[in-house]
Amino acid sequence: MMVHAADALECGHRRILIRTVDTDVVILAVALANERSEELDELWFTFGTGKNRRYIAAHQIAKALGPEKSRALPVFHSITGCDTVSAFADHSKKAAWGTWNAFPEVTTAFLSLASTPSELPDGVLSTLERFIMLLYDRTSTCCDVNVLRKKLFSRKSRSLEYLPPTRAALEQHIKRAAYQAGHIWGQAAIAFVSLPSPCDWGWMESGDELEPLWTTLSEVSKSWHELISCGCRKHCGGKCRCKKAALKCTELCACEGGC
């Protein structure tokens, strides 16, 4: 759709209408309206079906957001969940948008991934890590998502599915988001694109198919003993689960590692 819209602009058309029911197309239309604002007067799309069908002005949304946020929008959309990148459980787009507004510094990181990035710079990864931590805990002062994950698990009794990902898993997630938003969507208006191997961007081959590379950490079955904790509230005696496993008590234990 973006290829045809760009071609229409090349042919001198300054008012374009796109019909879609896909949120991804809406995001790309806003980005295109921003990128080609000098050639484009109006870019509209009809969204929804039946009684829910409505006309939305992508050019007005792009103007309201401003050039930086409009260009960063596909990366934000990809990182927070799209067709090819998983979302964060129990954290909506609305919550993520609020986090973006509260942490505008992440815009620079989004922009660095908006167009065919060659790698994930450490500075960008750290900024995005901070963004995700604020998404899970707006008052957090942590600078390490692994530390926050441990804190939420041990202090706030969060179930595993509602914890932030480990840093290793988050890095692969960001790579998949960068591949989708920067390499694929970043060339959405180009007829013949050049794409790097997805296996360098958070995917792995499984036979003739691609599967997400969720993490580079070892399986939990190989490190299960690290999750053992005891319920001893005083002195850890012979019934202590940690002592039975020949392990030291940790902050996960009721004794908080004091024994």
Side-chain angles (χ1 to χ4, degrees):
M1 290 183 179
M2 297 306 111
V3 170
H4 288 298
D7 182 64
L9 286 173
E10 296 295 331
C11 292
H13 299 283
R14 299 184 66 88
R15 291 182 177 85
I16 298 172
L17 173 66
I18 296 174
R19 173 79 176 95
T20 184
V21 293
D22 192 327
T23 305
D24 293 355
V25 176
V26 174
I27 298 297
L28 294 178
V30 173
L32 181 67
N34 169 71
E35 182 181 349
R36 307 295 286 271
S37 59
E38 294 184 0
E39 310 160 57
L40 185 68
D41 290 335
E42 297 177 6
L43 176 56
W44 292 82
F45 55 87
T46 57
F47 188 78
T49 58
K51 294 181 179 180
N52 295 320
R53 183 175 176 179
R54 52 183 175 152
Y55 289 84
I56 303 175
H59 57 283
Q60 291 180 358
I61 296 176
K63 184 176 180 180
L65 291 178
E68 284 196 345
K69 216 160 189 176
S70 295
R71 186 164 176 259
L73 192 60
V75 181
F76 165 82
H77 179 56
S78 182
I79 284 179
T80 53
C82 65
D83 290 344
T84 59
V85 184
S86 56
F88 297 99
D90 203 38
H91 291 82
S92 65
K93 292 281 186 181
K94 184 177 180 180
W97 185 266
T99 304
W100 189 1
N101 288 331
F103 185 54
E105 295 89 340
V106 77
T107 304
T108 302
F110 288 156
L111 288 173
S112 68
L113 302 180
S115 180
T116 59
S118 58
E119 60 180 355
L120 288 183
D122 289 339
V124 170
L125 186 58
S126 297
T127 302
L128 293 174
E129 181 179 4
R130 178 64 180 157
F131 170 72
I132 299 304
M133 286 190 285
L134 291 175
L135 176 61
Y136 278 84
D137 186 350
R138 189 68 66 84
T139 62
S140 173
T141 57
C142 293
C143 296
D144 186 325
V145 71
N146 291 334
V147 173
L148 177 62
R149 180 180 170 87
K150 179 179 178 182
K151 178 181 178 182
L152 293 178
F153 178 69
S154 60
R155 294 288 178 269
K156 298 192 177 183
S157 302
R158 297 272 185 95
S159 60
L160 289 177
E161 64 180 307
Y162 297 125
L163 292 176
T166 63
R167 196 174 198 275
L170 180 59
E171 181 175 355
Q172 299 306 315
H173 176 92
I174 292 172
K175 283 184 177 182
R176 287 190 293 275
Y179 188 76
Q180 180 64 53
H183 287 281
I184 297 176
W185 288 343
Q187 303 179 79
I190 301 174
F192 301 99
V193 301
S194 176
L195 296 174
S197 171
C199 293
D200 295 328
W201 293 90
W203 295 91
M204 62 180 182
E205 292 182 350
S206 178
D208 295 331
E209 299 181 351
L210 288 171
E211 291 184 358
L213 175 59
W214 295 113
T215 182
T216 53
L217 294 177
S218 60
E219 296 178 12
V220 69
S221 61
K222 297 178 181 178
S223 56
W224 62 271
H225 59 276
E226 296 178 7
L227 299 178
I228 291 179
S229 62
C230 70
C232 308
R233 297 193 177 279
K234 295 183 179 180
H235 178 71
C236 292
K239 294 183 178 181
C240 175
R241 295 178 64 192
C242 296
K243 287 187 179 297
K244 287 182 179 180
L247 297 172
K248 292 183 178 180
C249 292
T250 69
E251 292 180 6
L252 296 179
C253 300
C255 64
E256 298 184 354
C259 295

